[in-house]
Amino acid sequence: MTDAQETAADLRTTTGGGPPDDVEKAPIPLLEPREGIPPVVADEEALARVVAAFAAGTGPVAVDAERASGYRYGQRAYLVQLRREGAGSALIDPVGCPDLSALGEALSGTEWILHAATQDLPCLREIGMVPTSLFDTELAGRLAGFPRVGLGAMVESVLGYALEKGHSAVDWSTRPLPEPWLRYAALDVELLVDLRDALEKELERQGKLEWARQEFDAIAAAPPAPPRKDPWRRTSGMHKVRRRRQMAVVRELWESRDRIAQRRDVSPGKVLGDAAIVEAALALPANVHALSALPGYGQRMGRRQLDQWMAAVDRAKALPENQLPQPGATPAGPPPPRSWADKDPAAAARLSAARAAVSALAEGLNLPQENLITPDTVRRLCWEPPQRLEEDAVAQALAGYGARPWQVEQVAAALTAALRTTA
């Protein structure tokens, strides 16, 4: 980066995002790959060379992954991009190289730089890549108070370069991958190390670097999310389905769709939309003709498909009462806040005061409220406050709900005061 670009970066690391409006802005240069587009690594021999190169590299490693969300079943990685000083950039095809554990081991103890780490870590874990420490540039941007924290916006506002756009939502399972897509993918890690360094300086300037480190450590240490219980209950529009027989239809259609989608390796939404599942559950159609008249089962659906969906509906309709799904179990923790005024007016008052306190604190610290303290943590505290409304007791309760030490330090006093005002 030139001295001029470093100066521009210093100017841009404010929530204003750039110079005043009356200052003429220079054109933003389009980022170019420094060494060109690297060849895609798709066999074990080429992978071994990459592993050796990155093991011999120095400093942190920039990591990114591309999935085929909306096209394929699941959230597997279809391209992994890396960059490290001394090793350059690499593009790895996890279809040809499904086990990257050797690369993960070679990078053990190295700081990984990711943008929105929680999105990529599950698919990286599946192929054997798990960081021991990380730096999340998106989360760093949030903590530093940037209004726009997408990678393109961050690279532009902090480093003064424009990233190519337009390929983020493409089908990354396509083979061979078109060169423009590979170029886009390579550029995603081109400046991640530079972005990390600039954000670290800004966080240190704001006195928030330790906060960020605690957040990054928590992400790196988090275990894999457990499988969801009854995932069919998350069907979009499920709130319209009230009767148990209708719930059974949703379950049968969802599970049939999931089996088909997994077998065909396509996104479930491409097999049958959530809205169509809910329509069939509400209507309980008597036959294929009635089913075909419902939204989502129109003329473009063949008779064989209609028959398989009707069979699922019929299975649900034939279930005995004792096999019908029960209404959703009450989730752990407090009820939805909209019901608090009726169920517990005192708790509703506590929540209102606590939210106001968190909002004021977040504004003063120039970061999003949900990063200062999660809304769920605030709700739990207000629904069942500690018996002793002292700061140490509130701090202990917050820590018990998973708040990081820096969060507890920032909010405990204000939340204690909010709880006291409504006691």
Side-chain angles (χ1 to χ4, degrees):
M1 194 190 310
T2 66
D3 291 341
Q5 285 166 336
E6 288 184 351
T7 302
D10 291 339
L11 284 172
R12 290 187 186 94
T13 47
T14 67
T15 55
D21 290 338
D22 58 348
V23 176
E24 186 176 347
K25 300 174 184 177
I28 299 174
L30 190 66
L31 183 62
E32 299 286 345
R34 279 173 268 194
E35 300 103 16
I37 304 172
V40 177
V41 173
D43 60 67
E44 294 303 317
E45 185 179 344
L47 178 61
R49 291 194 294 269
V50 167
V51 171
F54 275 78
T58 58
V61 58
V63 183
D64 191 25
E66 305 294 349
R67 300 176 297 280
S69 304
Y71 297 95
R72 295 291 182 177
Y73 185 86
Q75 293 295 316
R76 66 171 293 184
Y78 281 96
L79 189 70
V80 175
Q81 309 100 281
L82 304 100
R83 185 174 180 85
R84 191 181 192 190
E85 185 69 31
S89 295
L91 302 177
I92 303 176
D93 178 5
V95 177
C97 302
D99 181 6
L100 300 187
S101 56
L103 180 58
E105 290 169 8
L107 297 172
S108 179
T110 300
E111 181 188 82
W112 293 22
I113 309 168
L114 301 105
H115 193 80
T118 54
Q119 294 183 20
D120 287 341
L121 288 178
C123 71
L124 290 169
R125 186 187 297 272
E126 286 180 0
I127 53 179
M129 295 186 66
V130 183
T132 52
S133 67
L134 62 85
F135 190 106
D136 186 333
T137 49
E138 187 209 42
L139 182 51
R142 291 181 183 277
L143 294 175
F146 283 84
R148 297 165 60 226
V149 293
L151 180 59
M154 294 291 291
V155 167
E156 184 174 320
S157 63
V158 176
L159 301 177
Y161 283 104
L163 287 179
E164 290 188 7
K165 301 176 182 177
H167 301 305
S168 60
V170 299
D171 181 2
W172 287 96
S173 68
T174 301
R175 292 296 182 274
L177 285 164
E179 184 173 318
W181 298 12
L182 295 174
R183 176 188 179 87
Y184 166 91
L187 290 174
D188 271 358
V189 292
E190 185 80 14
L191 290 180
L192 267 186
V193 175
D194 303 75
L195 182 60
R196 173 235 181 272
D197 292 345
L199 288 172
E200 182 180 60
K201 290 179 182 177
E202 179 61 16
L203 287 168
E204 188 168 25
R205 186 187 71 79
Q206 295 186 25
K208 299 176 181 177
L209 184 55
E210 176 57 27
W211 304 0
R213 286 175 175 152
Q214 290 181 26
E215 293 298 310
F216 302 157
D217 288 346
I219 294 172
R228 284 175 175 158
K229 183 181 179 183
D230 293 341
W232 58 270
R233 293 184 185 273
R234 298 178 64 87
T235 302
S236 181
M238 190 68 190
H239 62 282
K240 302 175 187 175
V241 181
R242 304 288 186 182
R243 292 156 47 196
R244 293 174 62 204
R245 184 71 60 184
Q246 294 172 329
M247 292 180 187
V249 172
V250 172
R251 181 176 64 186
E252 288 292 336
L253 284 171
W254 190 98
E255 291 178 349
S256 295
R257 179 185 71 173
D258 195 65
R259 288 191 294 269
I260 294 167
Q262 189 169 14
R263 185 176 71 246
R264 291 169 49 190
D265 190 18
V266 297
S267 169
K270 288 188 175 295
V271 176
L272 187 68
D274 280 10
I277 290 177
V278 171
E279 288 287 347
L282 297 176
L284 295 175
N287 50 45
V288 170
H289 179 72
L291 179 67
S292 66
L294 297 175
Y297 302 89
Q299 296 177 347
R300 282 191 265 180
M301 186 171 288
R303 179 60 189 246
R304 183 179 175 185
Q305 290 175 292
L306 285 169
D307 285 342
Q308 70 186 5
W309 302 132
M310 192 64 226
V313 173
D314 287 339
R315 286 195 300 272
K317 291 165 68 175
L319 286 174
E321 287 288 327
N322 63 359
Q323 292 183 25
L324 295 178
Q326 296 295 329
T330 303
R338 62 179 177 274
S339 66
W340 286 27
D342 294 328
K343 291 185 176 181
D344 191 337
R350 288 193 294 268
L351 182 61
S352 178
R355 282 174 165 172
V358 170
S359 177
L361 277 173
E363 185 175 354
L365 294 169
N366 191 29
L367 49 74
Q369 295 180 41
E370 63 270 19
N371 291 114
L372 175 59
I373 191 75
T374 68
D376 180 67
T377 298
V378 175
R379 287 193 294 269
R380 289 173 184 269
L381 177 72
C382 293
W383 186 251
E384 291 187 64
Q387 291 185 342
R388 189 170 54 86
L389 294 182
E390 300 293 338
E391 187 174 335
D392 64 322
V394 171
Q396 186 176 0
L398 291 170
Y401 293 134
R404 255 70 76 188
W406 77 268
Q407 294 175 314
V408 174
E409 182 180 352
Q410 294 300 317
V411 305
L415 287 177
T416 302
L419 294 175
R420 283 177 173 171
T421 61
T422 55

